[in-house]
Amino acid sequence: MLNFGTSRTQPRATRSMSIGGGIDYLDSKTKGNFVGKVFLAAVLTTLCIVMIKRYPSLNSPSPFSVQEAGVTHVLVTGGAGYIGSHATLRLLKDSYRVTIVDNLSRGNLGAVKVLQNLFLEPGRLQFIYADLGDAKSVDKIFSENKFDAVMHFAAVAYVGESTLNPLKYYHNITSNTLLVLESMAKYGVKTLIYSSTCATYGEPEKMPITEVTDQKPINPYGKAKKMAEDIILDFSKNSEMAVMILRYFNVIGSDPEGRLGEAPRPELREHGRISGACFDAARGITPGLKVRGTDYKTSDGTCIRDYIDVTDLVDAHVKALEKAQPAKVGIYNVGTGKGRSVKEFVDACKKATGANIEVDFLPRRPGDYAEVYSDPTKIRLELNWTAQHTDLEKSLQVAWKWQKSHRDGYGVSSVI
């Protein structure tokens, strides 16, 4: 076998010089390297001390990760969406600390940027891009942050779409709510404000709808929400968590100061809210408005709905948060108590926009119901809440003003 090794004929030169007394002294080259390293370490240490003194936050935990006396930290799931962003704005105005979690599948990064620019102070608002369907991500969010309460808005929310893709709705609404609730219990978050819907009632025989009206949902959206409610109610029986469930009706309007609005995905226009469809027609984005169903047993044959302004809706959420009690569950309808037909809505939209909207009447949409409006007596008596923005045309005028100045929505890509 060949030996590729080499043998040393002379010993390697020593790196130290031995002087009597058994003391070794480094040679000049090694001594220079040693001094240089010591000097570099001293410089870096000094720099770190200066940085820590100048920027104390480098040496302190994030304000979102600690509980602070006098500060309520609220996790707003779906806070980049239409309703969630308006709720976040109200919470921030009321001096709450807010963390938004959103996967931007329906929300808008532009809405988050508006909020961030309005509230620049450290420790007021943070945004976390995450999917609530990922159990590890949800656990990480709760482990790294100290929440006092959760407002759970995040959900897909189109009746028509739910009939076409029901499994998506059961995953997104029911399963995700379970994951959020599990993490709340694990990390000791004491208050849940749950965003539910009148769709859990289905099509009751008697109007108006009260909180004790039988829940018989007729579409996957309503069924998924009811399942989530049932999970919350079962859990609450052996929990000290304060729970508020708000079942609200058809949401319209936008921030009166014009900072936020509704900007749904273009590909979802077919499934979206009637207000968005009206505005699209008024702006010429679509050739006209499609009204589905004219043969319902109502005064004019079109569906009757209870239209609630988003400003009133978020006010109800804040009041629910303020009045939530440990180990108790509050269930409330959030509406005006007055039903309006789709034809009435279209007439109001025409007046609000000043546009001659062409209306195309089509057959019924699967999963829709003829008449739904609320009895808001309970929420008025227990939470001291009453809808203030009940003029349909005025609410649409406010929303229209934002739509006209934001033809491309927020103008910011939601893709990260």
Side-chain angles (χ1 to χ4, degrees), residues 56-75:
S57 61
L58 294 175
N59 195 36
S60 60
S62 162
F64 297 95
S65 66
V66 295
Q67 288 183 316
E68 185 177 336
V71 177
T72 303
H73 184 186
V74 182
L75 167 61

Side-chain angles (χ1 to χ4, degrees), residues 222-283:
K223 291 175 182 178
K225 281 286 189 179
K226 184 181 183 301
M227 288 181 186
E229 281 192 20
D230 290 341
I231 291 169
I232 294 168
L233 293 174
D234 284 343
F235 169 77
S236 68
K237 292 174 183 177
N238 297 298
S239 169
E240 292 297 310
M241 189 180 293
V243 175
M244 293 291 208
I245 295 173
L246 303 184
R247 297 171 183 159
Y248 46 86
F249 290 66
N250 295 65
V251 189
I252 59 170
S254 63
D255 171 42
E257 295 184 37
R259 294 162 293 188
L260 298 170
E262 182 179 11
R265 292 279 186 279
E267 66 271 17
L268 295 171
R269 284 195 172 103
E270 183 180 351
H271 302 294
R273 294 180 177 87
I274 186 173
S275 55
C278 279
F279 295 145
D280 284 345
R283 293 190 299 172

